[in-house]
PDB file of all heavy atoms in Angstrom:
ATOM      1  N   SER J  44     -94.144-163.741 -52.544  1.00  0.00           N
ATOM      2  CA  SER J  44     -94.071-162.827 -51.435  1.00  0.00           C
ATOM      3  C   SER J  44     -95.340-162.770 -50.623  1.00  0.00           C
ATOM      4  O   SER J  44     -95.364-162.230 -49.477  1.00  0.00           O
ATOM      5  CB  SER J  44     -93.675-161.414 -51.901  1.00  0.00           C
ATOM      6  OG  SER J  44     -94.690-160.896 -52.782  1.00  0.00           O
ATOM      7  N   GLY J  45     -96.452-163.265 -51.178  1.00  0.00           N
ATOM      8  CA  GLY J  45     -97.705-163.281 -50.469  1.00  0.00           C
ATOM      9  C   GLY J  45     -98.756-162.292 -50.973  1.00  0.00           C
ATOM     10  O   GLY J  45     -99.823-162.119 -50.403  1.00  0.00           O
ATOM     11  N   LYS J  46     -98.468-161.679 -52.141  1.00  0.00           N
ATOM     12  CA  LYS J  46     -99.376-160.644 -52.682  1.00  0.00           C
ATOM     13  C   LYS J  46    -100.773-161.203 -52.939  1.00  0.00           C
ATOM     14  O   LYS J  46    -101.768-160.647 -52.493  1.00  0.00           O
ATOM     15  CB  LYS J  46     -98.801-160.080 -53.982  1.00  0.00           C
ATOM     16  CG  LYS J  46     -97.426-159.456 -53.921  1.00  0.00           C
ATOM     17  CD  LYS J  46     -97.054-158.797 -55.240  1.00  0.00           C
ATOM     18  CE  LYS J  46     -97.036-159.672 -56.457  1.00  0.00           C
ATOM     19  NZ  LYS J  46     -96.065-160.780 -56.388  1.00  0.00           N
ATOM     20  N   SER J  47    -100.840-162.290 -53.717  1.00  0.00           N
ATOM     21  CA  SER J  47    -102.149-162.799 -54.073  1.00  0.00           C
ATOM     22  C   SER J  47    -102.879-163.401 -52.879  1.00  0.00           C
ATOM     23  O   SER J  47    -104.092-163.308 -52.765  1.00  0.00           O
ATOM     24  CB  SER J  47    -102.002-163.813 -55.211  1.00  0.00           C
ATOM     25  OG  SER J  47    -101.628-163.215 -56.411  1.00  0.00           O
ATOM     26  N   THR J  48    -102.101-164.030 -51.982  1.00  0.00           N
ATOM     27  CA  THR J  48    -102.732-164.550 -50.768  1.00  0.00           C
ATOM     28  C   THR J  48    -103.387-163.431 -49.972  1.00  0.00           C
ATOM     29  O   THR J  48    -104.517-163.553 -49.461  1.00  0.00           O
ATOM     30  CB  THR J  48    -101.677-165.279 -49.884  1.00  0.00           C
ATOM     31  OG1 THR J  48    -101.141-166.366 -50.600  1.00  0.00           O
ATOM     32  CG2 THR J  48    -102.287-165.761 -48.590  1.00  0.00           C
ATOM     33  N   LEU J  49    -102.694-162.301 -49.834  1.00  0.00           N
ATOM     34  CA  LEU J  49    -103.248-161.159 -49.131  1.00  0.00           C
ATOM     35  C   LEU J  49    -104.523-160.666 -49.809  1.00  0.00           C
ATOM     36  O   LEU J  49    -105.544-160.396 -49.134  1.00  0.00           O
ATOM     37  CB  LEU J  49    -102.234-160.026 -49.060  1.00  0.00           C
ATOM     38  CG  LEU J  49    -102.707-158.751 -48.383  1.00  0.00           C
ATOM     39  CD1 LEU J  49    -103.049-159.012 -46.927  1.00  0.00           C
ATOM     40  CD2 LEU J  49    -101.619-157.655 -48.468  1.00  0.00           C
ATOM     41  N   LEU J  50    -104.497-160.564 -51.133  1.00  0.00           N
ATOM     42  CA  LEU J  50    -105.689-160.129 -51.865  1.00  0.00           C
ATOM     43  C   LEU J  50    -106.856-161.087 -51.626  1.00  0.00           C
ATOM     44  O   LEU J  50    -107.998-160.652 -51.406  1.00  0.00           O
ATOM     45  CB  LEU J  50    -105.410-160.030 -53.372  1.00  0.00           C
ATOM     46  CG  LEU J  50    -106.592-159.605 -54.255  1.00  0.00           C
ATOM     47  CD1 LEU J  50    -106.102-158.764 -55.434  1.00  0.00           C
ATOM     48  CD2 LEU J  50    -107.330-160.795 -54.802  1.00  0.00           C
ATOM     49  N   HIS J  51    -106.583-162.388 -51.637  1.00  0.00           N
ATOM     50  CA  HIS J  51    -107.651-163.360 -51.482  1.00  0.00           C
ATOM     51  C   HIS J  51    -108.297-163.232 -50.087  1.00  0.00           C
ATOM     52  O   HIS J  51    -109.507-163.385 -49.941  1.00  0.00           O
ATOM     53  CB  HIS J  51    -107.092-164.794 -51.679  1.00  0.00           C
ATOM     54  CG  HIS J  51    -106.761-165.068 -53.080  1.00  0.00           C
ATOM     55  ND1 HIS J  51    -105.951-166.104 -53.472  1.00  0.00           N
ATOM     56  CD2 HIS J  51    -107.101-164.425 -54.257  1.00  0.00           C
ATOM     57  CE1 HIS J  51    -105.827-166.115 -54.791  1.00  0.00           C
ATOM     58  NE2 HIS J  51    -106.520-165.113 -55.278  1.00  0.00           N
ATOM     59  N   ILE J  52    -107.483-162.926 -49.087  1.00  0.00           N
ATOM     60  CA  ILE J  52    -108.072-162.798 -47.747  1.00  0.00           C
ATOM     61  C   ILE J  52    -108.839-161.448 -47.630  1.00  0.00           C
ATOM     62  O   ILE J  52    -109.952-161.391 -47.119  1.00  0.00           O
ATOM     63  CB  ILE J  52    -106.951-162.850 -46.644  1.00  0.00           C
ATOM     64  CG1 ILE J  52    -106.375-164.276 -46.627  1.00  0.00           C
ATOM     65  CG2 ILE J  52    -107.487-162.480 -45.289  1.00  0.00           C
ATOM     66  CD1 ILE J  52    -105.184-164.433 -45.712  1.00  0.00           C
ATOM     67  N   LEU J  53    -108.247-160.381 -48.136  1.00  0.00           N
ATOM     68  CA  LEU J  53    -108.926-159.087 -48.094  1.00  0.00           C
ATOM     69  C   LEU J  53    -110.226-159.127 -48.874  1.00  0.00           C
ATOM     70  O   LEU J  53    -111.185-158.413 -48.566  1.00  0.00           O
ATOM     71  CB  LEU J  53    -108.030-157.974 -48.636  1.00  0.00           C
ATOM     72  CG  LEU J  53    -106.730-157.701 -47.888  1.00  0.00           C
ATOM     73  CD1 LEU J  53    -105.964-156.529 -48.543  1.00  0.00           C
ATOM     74  CD2 LEU J  53    -107.003-157.407 -46.397  1.00  0.00           C
ATOM     75  N   GLY J  54    -110.271-159.949 -49.942  1.00  0.00           N
ATOM     76  CA  GLY J  54    -111.458-160.058 -50.775  1.00  0.00           C
ATOM     77  C   GLY J  54    -112.439-161.174 -50.377  1.00  0.00           C
ATOM     78  O   GLY J  54    -113.334-161.467 -51.145  1.00  0.00           O
ATOM     79  N   PHE J  55    -112.204-161.757 -49.228  1.00  0.00           N
ATOM     80  CA  PHE J  55    -113.089-162.847 -48.729  1.00  0.00           C
ATOM     81  C   PHE J  55    -113.101-164.033 -49.670  1.00  0.00           C
ATOM     82  O   PHE J  55    -114.114-164.777 -49.778  1.00  0.00           O
ATOM     83  CB  PHE J  55    -114.524-162.355 -48.485  1.00  0.00           C
ATOM     84  CG  PHE J  55    -114.658-161.306 -47.453  1.00  0.00           C
ATOM     85  CD1 PHE J  55    -115.133-160.026 -47.762  1.00  0.00           C
ATOM     86  CD2 PHE J  55    -114.297-161.560 -46.132  1.00  0.00           C
ATOM     87  CE1 PHE J  55    -115.258-159.043 -46.807  1.00  0.00           C
ATOM     88  CE2 PHE J  55    -114.403-160.575 -45.147  1.00  0.00           C
ATOM     89  CZ  PHE J  55    -114.887-159.309 -45.501  1.00  0.00           C
ATOM     90  N   LEU J  56    -112.007-164.275 -50.376  1.00  0.00           N
ATOM     91  CA  LEU J  56    -111.859-165.446 -51.235  1.00  0.00           C
ATOM     92  C   LEU J  56    -111.148-166.582 -50.471  1.00  0.00           C
ATOM     93  O   LEU J  56    -111.128-167.731 -50.931  1.00  0.00           O
ATOM     94  CB  LEU J  56    -111.110-165.091 -52.513  1.00  0.00           C
ATOM     95  CG  LEU J  56    -111.764-164.087 -53.430  1.00  0.00           C
ATOM     96  CD1 LEU J  56    -110.820-163.675 -54.547  1.00  0.00           C
ATOM     97  CD2 LEU J  56    -113.058-164.658 -54.017  1.00  0.00           C
ATOM     98  N   ASP J  57    -110.572-166.243 -49.353  1.00  0.00           N
ATOM     99  CA  ASP J  57    -109.846-167.194 -48.507  1.00  0.00           C
ATOM    100  C   ASP J  57    -109.945-166.674 -47.060  1.00  0.00           C
ATOM    101  O   ASP J  57    -110.295-165.510 -46.847  1.00  0.00           O
ATOM    102  CB  ASP J  57    -108.401-167.356 -48.957  1.00  0.00           C
ATOM    103  CG  ASP J  57    -107.733-168.633 -48.493  1.00  0.00           C
ATOM    104  OD1 ASP J  57    -108.397-169.370 -47.713  1.00  0.00           O
ATOM    105  OD2 ASP J  57    -106.599-168.910 -48.883  1.00  0.00           O
ATOM    106  N   ARG J  58    -109.569-167.509 -46.140  1.00  0.00           N
ATOM    107  CA  ARG J  58    -109.578-167.109 -44.714  1.00  0.00           C
ATOM    108  C   ARG J  58    -108.182-167.189 -44.118  1.00  0.00           C
ATOM    109  O   ARG J  58    -107.388-168.049 -44.529  1.00  0.00           O
ATOM    110  CB  ARG J  58    -110.534-168.045 -43.927  1.00  0.00           C
ATOM    111  CG  ARG J  58    -112.007-167.986 -44.359  1.00  0.00           C
ATOM    112  CD  ARG J  58    -112.792-168.953 -43.576  1.00  0.00           C
ATOM    113  NE  ARG J  58    -114.203-169.041 -44.060  1.00  0.00           N
ATOM    114  CZ  ARG J  58    -115.214-168.415 -43.497  1.00  0.00           C
ATOM    115  NH1 ARG J  58    -115.040-167.636 -42.452  1.00  0.00           N
ATOM    116  NH2 ARG J  58    -116.461-168.563 -43.988  1.00  0.00           N
TER     117      ARG J  58
END
Side-chain angles (χ1 to χ4, degrees):
S44 62
K46 303 187 301 297
S47 291
T48 298
L49 178 62
L50 179 146
H51 289 163
I52 293 174
L53 297 182
F55 297 118
L56 297 171
D57 200 354
R58 297 177 187 260

